[in-house]
Amino acid sequence: MHYPGFFITLEGIEGCGKTTQAKKLNAALQKLGYPVLLTKEPGGTDLGKEIRKLLLRCNGLKIGAEAELLLYAADRAQHVREFLVPPLEAGHIVICDRFADATVAYQGYARGLDKNLIAHINQFATQKLQPDVTILLDLDVRTGLARAQVRNQQSKPAEREDRFEKEDWRFHEQVRQGYLASAKGEPERIKIIDAGKPAVQVFENIMADIMPLLLEKGTK
């Protein structure tokens, strides 16, 4: 389902730089005068913040793949209803750090859960909301994990969101391949950008993909 606004999502493996690039994109579009909101999954709502703690922190809980999938779906359902749909209905731009493609990559390709089931759950949780464009920041897995390790070392131990980083590199390679498979299936929506290049160049490439689409839609 599409709305008068413009929905941008950023995806990629751990350490690909999407959170940094999402913030830069938000600032740049605001400077250009666009009405923009920046959010993330999991954790874009009060409920989501609690779910995020369960999913991303190594707190001793053992979460099965099926429970993990449903926790992400619960976060997404609340996020769509409470935070995403209202501004999109009002004609605003929403930038989201991860969305439904992440569930396909992580729980589908890497955890091995049924992709058709994931598609049905995603449709239910999102109310069939689809991004207008998805920026996939593609990066070599070992480079991404090295970056993520540095990032987590800068956080307080109790606040480190490193549950997925503790998976071995094969898990993350499956995530990457899942993202690339999704991009191959939807090349019009999912734009692949080399995240191994300098951050400034990565951002320029993101803007080069985003701006023509915004101008075409006339969102402002």
Side-chain angles (χ1 to χ4, degrees):
M1 184 175 294
H2 292 275
Y3 293 91
F6 197 80
F7 186 28
I8 303 167
T9 59
L10 285 88
E11 299 281 1
I13 65 166
E14 309 301 323
C16 70
K18 61 183 175 44
T19 300
T20 297
Q21 294 295 341
K23 291 176 181 177
K24 289 172 69 69
L25 180 60
N26 178 58
L29 294 181
Q30 284 189 355
K31 190 173 181 179
L32 290 171
Y34 288 98
V36 191
L37 292 95
L38 175 62
T39 187
K40 65 183 177 183
E41 288 194 356
T45 64
D46 288 340
L47 174 62
K49 289 173 185 174
E50 297 304 312
I51 294 174
R52 185 180 181 92
K53 292 175 186 177
L54 292 172
L55 285 168
L56 301 187
R57 295 184 186 178
C58 289
N59 50 20
L61 287 177
K62 292 185 177 180
I63 303 175
E66 297 83 1
E68 185 178 82
L69 168 64
L70 294 173
L71 283 168
Y72 274 108
D75 167 80
R76 185 162 299 130
Q78 186 71 16
H79 194 210
V80 168
R81 176 183 293 274
E82 181 180 331
F83 194 90
L84 297 183
V85 168
L88 290 171
E89 284 181 330
H92 296 172
I93 297 171
V94 176
I95 302 168
C96 191
D97 182 343
R98 293 204 192 281
F99 193 58
D101 291 303
T103 301
V104 176
Y106 279 81
Q107 282 71 52
Y109 281 85
R111 294 290 191 218
L113 296 181
D114 184 84
K115 298 178 188 65
N116 289 325
L117 173 63
I118 289 173
H120 286 301
I121 290 174
N122 269 339
Q123 279 200 334
F124 178 71
T126 63
Q127 301 177 36
K128 298 184 179 180
L129 172 64
Q130 278 277 336
D132 291 281
V133 62
T134 296
I135 299 297
L136 172 56
L137 297 175
D138 184 46
L139 185 65
D140 172 75
V141 164
R142 295 186 189 277
T143 302
L145 290 176
R147 289 183 183 179
Q149 185 177 22
V150 171
R151 177 193 66 204
N152 283 320
Q153 286 175 345
Q154 295 171 347
S155 303
K156 296 178 181 178
E159 297 175 358
R160 286 177 186 164
E161 297 181 336
D162 58 355
R163 179 170 163 265
F164 282 97
E165 282 91 330
K166 291 185 182 297
E167 299 282 354
D168 69 26
W169 70 269
R170 297 175 187 83
F171 173 90
H172 295 280
E173 184 60 37
Q174 289 175 319
V175 171
R176 183 189 182 194
Q177 294 306 317
Y179 273 128
L180 292 173
S182 293
K184 185 177 181 180
E186 294 187 72
E188 292 300 313
R189 174 176 70 86
I190 304 176
K191 311 298 183 182
I192 301 175
I193 290 179
D194 183 356
K197 296 184 180 299
V200 172
Q201 187 174 347
V202 172
F203 181 67
E204 289 174 352
N205 292 340
I206 291 173
M207 290 295 284
D209 278 335
I210 294 291
M211 291 311 299
L213 297 173
L214 287 177
L215 293 172
E216 179 181 341
K217 187 156 186 176
T219 304
K220 198 157 188 179

